[in-house]
């Protein structure tokens, strides 16, 4: 047998190693040989031109004490037997498989290359395999580990050490509905492995993706900028925005089950890898839900072996590194005076001026020089702890992994906390040789308090007094009725805002091997989520400001199930390898909600537990919402000679949410891969170990609409006739039976490379995508009684480049020597609106502009402050000296809507992350650096009361204009204006930053020491998060953190422990 | 499996519902509720109260409406909102009117509900035609996305309105068990107003006659009567439902039915809570400082000696609700609860006189955008707390006092000043200031009477300002009588420099023009915008 390949080889006393390398490069066959054997080889002298492969081998080995065996694509070199081989003796080989730390690994697959059958290692890592002939090769494989291939000469005992897989070609990648090895991948998939996920203590695993995957932007600034608050979610954008109206968030898949929402319920420790599908070929598998990319999460499963117990824990303290810079007492007093000078009601010359302006409390503080720092009175250090206990192991037929997690986070805002209890059970049971069943079950319960009175500390008068002489809280510290003491919210049970959440997420599967290569698998994934929110606000709080107490309850119950039936067929025919997948699935989601709000609780002790006793019910409601998706999916992977790879996928989705005329969508894709390194012409390029070109093209969808949106719905109205309720319904939306998904067609070109003995590896991706049939509200003339209708109109475009590189800068000279490696990734992206609801016409009312990114800030531009001497000019613009000077963009001599300009975009156009890791003996050090450029953010602190500049509320400590301080920074405070004119122009900031996100220093104790506590492995570490940030917002505005501008900046110090028994 | 793709909708209602007996009633209720988008909101007040001789901008106002500046343009949000809300209301009414014939239900009830829908539709179109002139007419429920529209002549719009009101007057009952539903006298009052307004455009004497007849029918045909005490009209709660109220937009103390509530209580209040001796309380309200009475309203309009309406309309004295020692007028004052804290005298005081006062005093020259007497008609101390925005007051839309004024104006315009005078004097006698003795009151009543020689349109406009001050009538009154430019130039110094004839119509919302097929040629803008 063998392939009809020709070899050209001209050697004069060359080493056998060199000869092997040359043949390997020319033919694509790989050689397996031990260095001991090579030492026996004699120099080779041959001159071969277009010689058939096997003939060439014969010539090379004819005078050698070595022989060779061709085993599929592998040539195994063995010692030449002196005796003619009559019949090869079959022996049994046994041994133990361990990891680098010497911990036995169970469940390792052991096969004889080229032979059917095989075995796996048992609980103690021991294996025994029969039918081994000398010269045959044993292959040891385990997911997440580098596989090992070892030639058996004549030994019967073989102990093997498996290393955890780096980003290598044999790395197993979860591609959605199956796995593939990295070398077979045709799509753009970024894998984030165990180590990267757990270098930084995070509550939500999504945070750990920050800076780890090119093209994945993690925004912690969700909602009102609550990114560093306990239990805060994060938002992930894969390759920017595509959609205007619909969501841009990716689909999350946990252990094969697509889920709704993010990963906040999952204990990060349970997760061993995350694979991010980015291009159309990979995501088209998920059809109408794939447009925004897919995040596939894999949790830890058990392996055959004795129970292994892992305990991971950390405790951290989040210290406030930067408070929000508001004025102190003196600054506030002067600011208040200036606000009156502005309208001539404060005269410096008047000896009574202060007496007339300030009240007695303020005057006393001014006289004493005292100042109340409300933030420091209110805030505390954040305290977090996390514990995880995992037990895993298994027998030959049963494998289990059970874990318990506890996370507790007491926020820097004392009114906030989050704790989560979670357990996960993963079970796999073999039923004979052909059948397998299993389950992944997550149960999680979390409790959060998320009241937020922090803002009031920023606007409270620093001349006010928090406590009276006897130490009691003063309700109105500065006698201002709108400024109640923020500390009153911290009185026990005065403010309650608790959320409890329970989730049971299961994935049950059954698998049958029907014939060799053909597998049928069925997955059933129920997901039950129960959310309960309860709140109570007592009258003596900033929330109620002495008004009646309020209480509210709300509850939503979600039931989602996914049922999938999947048929896969994997087979190799000579040089041809096929991998076929067919899938049928159904997903359905039902949400029921109820809520009740009340006012005037007779007893504060009722909290939110006796709403019916309240004097007034202010709201009550319930809701039902259901949607379903039916799907059929097919995928074909074909590889020829390990050089040429082809993938076709197609999915048909039927969604209840689409219009009656468009229930079904079809999403095809194709991808090509070319392993260039396996080509003959690359054989001589020794520096290149891997070079693969990938090309993919396909269409994905975005369901993007809520249930019932295609139907003509009625809006509920409230009215009363003389106090008798008169609820009503009026036409609310226009029926649209043609409504369908948004579709994104994307082209991706990728290059994977590995050079210099794979010391430099990585990928480059270039993509362009076009999203059409955008789900946009087409605006209508209001005369029809509707001002919009949801239609499929509009187009956006998205282009980008992603670059990832991993380098081994210093290779350890010896085991435990000094090592240094670097992972670097960055992405550049550009969004563009191509067409909107009225064609290529800007939609100014919605801040959407043809040719601009999807979310831009369109507003007046501040160009300075009107200065003394510019009175006449300012008056022309209906402004005055000391006020904001706005750019008269069109030069028409007045400021109107047409003078607004695009001030920036919400997402950065450059994001990057770099991780440097150093190792020496047991020590490891990793440093993660993040960089973001090109985004603008709206700073909540620079509008509203914190930037009112009206001399009432405390203000951000800005450099404001006065007659003696003719700055161009901020306008003159003026009591006559409730906010500065064109105040909105003050709130836009450059979001660029470079920050050291995390530093982690760990120490792995030697086995001798860990044995003393009966542990197999023991590691301790310390880490610092967010220690250093470089950003214009910090340097120019004394800001806190451009990622979370509305909150103080926190630096978190963590001590952690990983121990395995 | 296919069944899975059929939507399972349980808490949503689809449009078929309106074709049921319950659905018809629900759609009528919805049409009523859309009145709340205008009457009882800042939007409604911006479009009718400010920018007139009655009211100018308070310190926190949206000044554009008062200043008639360049920002009062087709992209101004309030115009779009009002326009959209009125057409939503019309579409709800159309759904009722179009579908009712095919719905099987009690015939009388059906006729009544349709008549209510036609009353409401007339009211919405009346608002549209007054503000924008020629507007789009649609009398059928909109199905599907409609992108065509055209501006029909004003006469055609009035034809729609009067047809609807004819139907309503014929078919509405004279009373209702559901207080707040449209009844026949409300339709008559509205029709009177419509004809009066229409006559201002057509100069058709017959319209004045119809207006006068309709108004007289309301005054004499029912048990309505003017209250003795002017201030009682605005007594909150049950008091609002008095013998003078013909029709009001409903609000309630029930937060479940009150929506955003009547928020007018917020806008007419000055910053009393920042005055020495004062703090914010429920009675005082939450000061948004949107609308300030003009100097004309405060100093010229009323005869402060004989006309009781000035003090019934404005709160000029505030009593201390936060005792303490304050520096007032240059000296320390130890103020006790209930002491006078703020006073707005209607005459000038010298500095020396002011210095003697133990309270803050703001004579006319010291009245500013943030310091002015408060209009009391909308104050709402029944709210849950001082900062609550949701108010419970009914918005009195049509009341007998105005019916008298409509009758008087229509009669005057049809050349019957003597008959007009009887209505004016009746109203004015009721408004006379209560004296210490009955005799003093009687003297005031006599003093309030005017002669037919004094009666002219200008007088009627002033009388309307005195009677209906702040009641969302003024901009329309000035437009109807073509006195907007004249009066604003005379009495509203902020609006004076800019106000022009073009302001007698509002700009068509730019979105309406942009979204209509054919754009500005299909749906032209009003001249000057």
């Amino acid at each position: 047998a063998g392939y009809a390949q020709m070899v050209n080889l001209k050697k004069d006393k060359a080493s056998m190693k060199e000869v092997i390398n040359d043949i390997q490069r020319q033919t694509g066959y790989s050689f397996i040989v031990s260095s001991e054997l090579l030492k026996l080889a004699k120099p080779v002298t041959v001159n071969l031109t277009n010689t058939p492969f096997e003939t060439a081998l014969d010539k090379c080995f004819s005078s050698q004490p070595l022989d060779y065996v061709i085993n599929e694509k592998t040539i195994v070199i063995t010692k030449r037997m002196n005796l003619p081989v009559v019949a090869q003796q079959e022996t049994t080989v046994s041994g133990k498989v361990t990891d680098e730390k010497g911990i036995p690994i169970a469940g390792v697959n052991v096969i004889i290359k080229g032979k059917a059958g095989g075995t796996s290692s048992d609980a103690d890592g021991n294996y025994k395999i029969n039918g081994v002939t000398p010269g045959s090769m044993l292959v040891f494989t385990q997911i997440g580990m580098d596989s090992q291939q070892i030639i058996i000469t004549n030994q019967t005992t073989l102990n093997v050490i498996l290393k955890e897989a780096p980003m290598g070609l044999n790395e197993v990648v979860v591609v959605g509905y199956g796995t593939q090895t990295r070398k077979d991948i045709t799509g753009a998939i970024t894998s984030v492995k165990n180590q990267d996920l757990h270098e930084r203590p995070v509550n939500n695993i999504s945070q750990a993706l920050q800076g780890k995957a090119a093209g994945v932007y993690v925004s912690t600034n969700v909602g009102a900028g609550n990114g560093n608050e306990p239990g805060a979610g994060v938002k992930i954008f894969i390759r920017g925005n595509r959609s205007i109206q619909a969501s841009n968030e990716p689909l999350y898949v946990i252990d094969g089950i697509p889920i709704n929402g993010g990963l906040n319920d999952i204990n990060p420790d349970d997760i061993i890898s995350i694979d991010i599908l980015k291009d159309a070929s990979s995501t088209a598998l998920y059809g109408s839900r794939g447009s925004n990319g897919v995040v596939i999460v894999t949790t830890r499963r058990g392996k055959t072996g004795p129970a292994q117990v892992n305990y991971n824990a950390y405790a951290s303290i989040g210290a406030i590194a930067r408070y929000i810079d508001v004025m102190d007492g003196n600054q506030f007093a002067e600011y208040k005076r200036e606000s009156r000078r502005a309208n001539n009601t404060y005269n410096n010359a008047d000896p009574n001026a202060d007496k007339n302006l300030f009240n007695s409390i303020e005057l006393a503080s001014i006289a004493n020089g005292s100042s109340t720092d409300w933030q420091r009175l209110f805030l505390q250090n954040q305290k977090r702890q996390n514990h995880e206990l995992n037990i895993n192991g298994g027998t030959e037929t049963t494998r289990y992994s059970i874990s318990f997690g506890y996370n507790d986070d007491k926020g820097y805002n004392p009114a906030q906390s989050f704790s989560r209890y979670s357990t996960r059970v993963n079970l796999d049971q073999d039923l004979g040789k052909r059948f397998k069943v299993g389950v992944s079950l997550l149960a999680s319960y979390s409790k959060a308090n998320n009241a937020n009175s922090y803002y009031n500390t920023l606007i409270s008068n620093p001349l006010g007094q928090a406590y009276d002489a006897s130490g009691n809280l003063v309700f109105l510290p500065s006698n201002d009725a709108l400024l109640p003491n923020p500390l009153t919210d911290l009185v026990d049970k005065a403010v309650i805002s608790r959320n409890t959440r329970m989730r049971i997420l299961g994935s049950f599967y059954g698998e049958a091997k029907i014939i060799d290569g053909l597998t049928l698998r069925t997955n059933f994934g129920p997901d039950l989520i129960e959310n309960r929110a309860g709140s109570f606000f007592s009258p003596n709080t900033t929330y109620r400001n002495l008004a009646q107490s309020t209480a509210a309850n709300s509850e939503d119950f979600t039931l989602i199930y996914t049922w999938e039936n999947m048929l896969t067929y994997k087979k190799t025919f000579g040089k041809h390898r096929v991998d076929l997948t067919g899938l049928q699935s159904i997903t359905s989601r039902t949400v029921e909600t109820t809520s009740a709000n009340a006012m005037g609780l007779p007893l504060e002790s009722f909290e939110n537990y006796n709403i019916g006793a309240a004097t007034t019910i202010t709201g009550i409601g319930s809701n039902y919402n259901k949607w379903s998706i039916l799907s059929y999916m097919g995928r074909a992977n074909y590889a020829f000679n390990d050089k040429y790879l082809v993938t076709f996928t197609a999915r048909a989705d039927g969604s209840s949410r689409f219009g009656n005329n468009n229930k079904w969508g079809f999403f095809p894709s194709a991808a090509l891969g070319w392993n260039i390194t396996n080509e003959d012409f690359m054989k001589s390029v020794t520096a290149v170990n891997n070079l693969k070109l990938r090309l993919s093209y396909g269409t994905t969808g975005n369901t993007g609409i809520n249930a019932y949106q295609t139907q003509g719905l009625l809006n509920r109205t409230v009215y009363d006739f003389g106090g008798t309720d008169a609820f009503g319904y009026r036409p609310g939306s226009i029926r649209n039976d043609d409504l369908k998904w948004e579709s994104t067609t994307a082209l991706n070109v990728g290059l994977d490379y590995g050079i210099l003995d794979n010391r430099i590896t990585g990928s480059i991706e270039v993509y362009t995508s076009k999203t059409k049939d955008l789900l946009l509200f087409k605006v209508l003339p209001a005369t029809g009684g509707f001002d919009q209708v949801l239609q499929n109109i509009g187009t956006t475009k998205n282009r980008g480049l992603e670059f990832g590189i991993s380098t081994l800068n210093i290779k350890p000279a010896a085991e435990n020597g000094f090592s240094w490696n670097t992972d670097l990734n960055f992405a550049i992206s550009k969004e563009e609106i191509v067409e909107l609801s009225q064609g290529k016409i800007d939609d100014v009312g919605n801040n959407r502009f043809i040719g601009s990114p999807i979310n831009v800030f369109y507003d007046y531009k501040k160009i300075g402050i009107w200065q003394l001497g510019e009175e006449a000019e300012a008056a022309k613009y209906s402004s005055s000296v000391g006020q904001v000077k706005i750019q008269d963009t069109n030069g028409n001599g007045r400021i109107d809507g047409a003078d607004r300009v695009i001030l920036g975009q919400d997402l950065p156009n450059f994001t990057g992350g770099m991780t440097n890791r150093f190792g020496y003996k047991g020590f490891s050090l990793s440093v993660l650096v993040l960089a973001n450029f090109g985004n603008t953010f709206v700073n909540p602190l620079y509008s509203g009361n914190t930037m009112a500049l009206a001399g009432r509320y405390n203000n951000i400590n800005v450099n404001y204009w006065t007659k003696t301080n003719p700055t161009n920074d901020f306008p003159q405070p003026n009591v006559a204006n409730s906010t500065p004119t064109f105040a909105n122009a003050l709130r836009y900031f450059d979001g660029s930053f470079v920050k050291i996100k995390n530093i982690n220093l760990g120490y792995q104790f030697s086995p001798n020491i860990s044995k003393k506590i009966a542990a197999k492995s023991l590691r301790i570490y310390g880490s610092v998060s967010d220690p250093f940030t470089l950003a214009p917002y910090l340097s120019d505005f004394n800001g806190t953190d451009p990622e979370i501008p509305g909150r103080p900046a926190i630096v978190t110090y963590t001590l952690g422990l990983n121990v395995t028994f | 499996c296919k069944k899975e793709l059929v939507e399972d909708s349980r808490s949503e209602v689809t449009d078929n519902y309106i074709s049921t007996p319950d659905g018809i009633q629900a759609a009528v209720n919805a049409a009523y509720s859309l009145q709340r988008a205008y009457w009882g909101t800042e939007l409604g007040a911006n479009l009718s109260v400010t920018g007139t001789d009655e009211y100018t901008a308070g310190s926190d106002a949206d000044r554009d409406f008062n200043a008639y500046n360049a920002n009062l343009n087709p992209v101004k949000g309030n115009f779009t909102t009002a326009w959209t809300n009125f057409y939503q209301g019309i579409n709800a009414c159309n759904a009722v009117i179009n579908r009712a014939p095919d719905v099987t239900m009690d015939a009388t009830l059906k006729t009544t509900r349709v008549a209510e829908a036609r009353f409401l539709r007339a009211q919405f179109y009346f608002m549209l035609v007054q503000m924008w002139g020629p507007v789009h007419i649609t009398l059928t429920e909109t199905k599907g996305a409609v992108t065509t529209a055209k501006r029909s002549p004003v006469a055609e719009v009035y034809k729609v309105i009067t047809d609807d009101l004819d139907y309503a007057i014929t078919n509405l009952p004279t009373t209702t068990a559901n207080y707040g539903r449209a009844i026949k006298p409300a339709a008559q009052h509205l029709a009177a107003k419509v004809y009066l307004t229409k006559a201002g455009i057509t100069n058709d004497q017959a319209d004045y006659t119809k207006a006068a007849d309709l108004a007289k029918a309301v005054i004499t045909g029912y048990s309505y009567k003017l209250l003795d005490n002017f201030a009682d009209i605005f007594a909150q709660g049950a008091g609002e439902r008095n013998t003078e109220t013909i029709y009001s937009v409903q609000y309630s103390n029930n937060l479940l039915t009150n929506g955003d509530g009547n928020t007018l209580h917020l806008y007419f209040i000055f910053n009393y809570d920042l005055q020495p001796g004062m703090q914010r309380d429920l009675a005082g309200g939450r000061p948004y400082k949107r609308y300030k009475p003009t100097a004309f309203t405060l100093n010229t309009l009323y005869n402060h000696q004989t006309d009781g309406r000035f003090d019934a309309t404005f709160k000029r004295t505030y009593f201390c609700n936060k005792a303490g020692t304050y520096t007032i007028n240059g000296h320390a004052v130890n103020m006790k609860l209930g002491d006078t804290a703020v006073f707005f005298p209607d005459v000038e005081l010298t500095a020396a006189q002011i210095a003697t006062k133990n309270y803050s005093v703001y004579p006319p020259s010291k009245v500013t955008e943030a310091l002015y007497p408060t209009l009391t008609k909308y104050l709402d101390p029944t709210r849950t707390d001082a900062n609550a925005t949701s108010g419970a007051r009914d918005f009195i839309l049509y009341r007998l006092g105005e019916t008298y004024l409509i009758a008087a104006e229509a009669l005057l315009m049809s050349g019957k000043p003597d008959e007009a005078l009887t209505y004016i004097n009746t109203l004015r006698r009721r408004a006379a200031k209560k004296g210490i003795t009955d005799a003093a009151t009687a003297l005031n009543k006599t003093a309030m009477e005017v002669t037919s020689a004094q009666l002219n349109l200008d007088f009627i406009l002033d009388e309307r300002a005195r009677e209906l001050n702040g009641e969302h009538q003024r901009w329309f009154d000035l437009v109807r009588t073509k006195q907007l430019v004249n009066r604003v130039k005379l009495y509203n110094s902020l609006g004076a420099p800019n106000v022009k004839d073009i302001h007698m119509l509002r700009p068509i919302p730019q979105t309406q023009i942009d979204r209509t097929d054919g754009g500005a040629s299909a749906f032209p803008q009003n001249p000057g915008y």
Side-chain angles (χ1 to χ4, degrees), chain A residues 624 628 708 712 714 720 722 784, chain B residues 4 7-8 11 13 15 36 142:
Chain A
Y624 175 90
S628 309
Y708 319 125
L714 299 179
D720 73 286
Chain B
E4 279 296 326
E7 291 211 280
D8 177 14
S11 49
V13 186
D15 47 13
R36 285 185 178 167
T142 302

Side-chain angles (χ1 to χ4, degrees), chain B residues 438-456:
Chain B
D438 287 351
T441 307
L443 271 178
N444 281 346
K445 283 190 192 285
T446 316
M448 286 293 285
E449 289 178 4
V450 292
T451 64
S452 55
Q454 289 171 283
L455 199 62
N456 56 29

Side-chain angles (χ1 to χ4, degrees), chain A residues 196-218:
Chain A
D196 281 294
L197 290 173
H198 298 120
E199 269 173 333
R200 196 180 132 205
V202 293
N203 288 349
N204 181 328
I205 195 72
S206 300
Q207 291 165 326
L209 296 176
Q210 210 175 7
K212 298 291 190 181
V216 178
Y217 176 60
V218 180

Side-chain angles (χ1 to χ4, degrees), chain B residues 47 201 229 301:
Chain B
L47 290 170
I201 297 159
N229 184 5
L301 186 61

Side-chain angles (χ1 to χ4, degrees), chain A residues 356 547 599 618-619 624 628 654 656 663 708 711-712 714 717 719-722 727-729 779-780 782-784 838 894, chain B residues 4-5 7-8 11 13-15 26-27 29-30 33 36 60 70 87 142 179 250 255-256 327 384-385 512 514-515:
Chain A
N356 285 335
M599 191 161 64
T618 54
Y624 175 90
S628 309
S656 67
K663 286 285 185 205
Y708 319 125
Q711 306 194 22
L714 299 179
T717 60
Y719 199 67
D720 73 286
F721 291 120
F727 300 107
Y729 283 99
V779 291
L780 298 172
T783 39
Q838 287 170 295
R894 59 190 172 92
Chain B
E4 279 296 326
L5 299 185
E7 291 211 280
D8 177 14
S11 49
V13 186
T14 59
D15 47 13
N29 289 351
S33 79
R36 285 185 178 167
D60 290 352
Y87 276 107
T142 302
Y179 183 84
Q250 299 293 292
L255 297 176
L256 297 181
T327 306
T384 51
D385 58 86
Q512 172 67 29
D514 292 347
R515 297 167 180 188

Side-chain angles (χ1 to χ4, degrees), chain A residues 448-462:
Chain A
N449 283 296
N450 49 13
N452 192 356
S453 335
Y454 171 61
Y455 185 80
N456 292 295
T457 67
L458 303 178
I459 57 170
S460 281
N461 189 334

Side-chain angles (χ1 to χ4, degrees), chain A residues 908-949:
Chain A
N909 43 30
F910 177 95
T911 54
M914 180 165 76
T915 307
N916 275 293
R917 293 195 186 87
F918 306 90
Y920 182 65
K921 303 230 160 122
F923 288 98
S924 61
L925 173 70
S926 82
V927 181
L928 168 63
V929 179
L930 290 183
N932 249 32
F933 295 102
N935 62 319
T936 295
F937 67 91
V938 171
N939 192 330
L941 301 174
Y942 281 72
S943 58
N945 287 340
T946 43
M947 192 47 67
L949 285 172

